[in-house]
Amino acid sequence: MLYLLWIFLKIVGIICEYNPFHLGHRKQFDMIRKIFEGDCTIVCLMSGNFVQRGMPAIFDKTVRAKAAVLAGADLVLELPVTAALSSAEGFASGGVAILSRLCDSLCFGAETADKDALMSTAKALLAPGFSPALRQELDKGLSFPAARQEALQSMGLDAALLELPNNILAVEYCKAIISQQAAMTP
């Protein structure tokens, strides 16, 4: 009977660091429960004792995981260190590869609430014409972020979305969902 209950619940994944866990993270849990009317399971995939920029976490992973569970997470798993210490692209890709096997949806923060804009940007970054456009801009001596924005603009897209850090990570989550053909809804 428990198995049948599991099938009908929505399983929502969050790729996180919780370095440290704060009220904004708790608000995310509350929003997820509100959107799914409480009929969901929240699975957090959290970095361990080292976080994305290679620094030691402020608190031990067990303290951060306990804070997440006490705030409403149903399960906290550890993101492998190879993904946790990676670039935004590797962090997102590693997280989606794991959570796509467990979750129906992926919840993440972004400065924009426009899911379609995030997905469109992700699709453009994966488009065959993007790499040559990026190479052309990099050859001009631009930094990677500036070259990426210029390449998107040369393709007729608004690259302003990639000026904000949470949007950048959100686009990487969307790219990972698309490229891995994950059956997850952002």
Side-chain angles (χ1 to χ4, degrees), residues 15 17 45 52-53 79-98 106 121-127 130-131 134 138 144 148 162 165-180:
I15 304 166
E17 293 186 316
L45 184 60
Q52 189 180 10
R53 289 160 194 86
L79 181 65
V81 71
T82 53
L85 296 180
S86 192
S87 65
E89 184 177 30
F91 183 84
S93 180
V96 167
I98 293 168
L106 182 66
T121 302
K123 287 176 184 173
L125 293 172
L126 293 168
F130 176 73
S131 288
L134 177 63
L138 287 170
F144 179 80
R148 182 173 54 181
L162 294 177
N166 290 319
N167 282 347
I168 292 169
L169 191 53
V171 167
E172 292 301 336
Y173 291 137
C174 293
K175 269 179 52 187
I177 289 169
I178 294 165
S179 64
Q180 295 175 26

Side-chain angles (χ1 to χ4, degrees), residues 77-128:
L77 303 171
E78 185 173 348
L79 181 65
V81 71
T82 53
L85 296 180
S86 192
S87 65
E89 184 177 30
F91 183 84
S93 180
V96 167
I98 293 168
L99 287 181
S100 65
R101 297 179 181 135
L102 304 170
C103 302
D104 308 300
S105 300
L106 182 66
C107 183
F108 47 82
E111 287 89 1
T112 180
D114 188 347
K115 180 177 77 169
D116 293 334
L118 295 169
M119 288 298 281
S120 293
T121 302
K123 287 176 184 173
L125 293 172
L126 293 168

Side-chain angles (χ1 to χ4, degrees), residues 52-67:
Q52 189 180 10
R53 289 160 194 86
M55 298 295 293
I58 294 170
F59 294 107
D60 182 81
K61 63 186 176 185
T62 57
V63 172
R64 293 180 291 127
K66 184 175 181 179

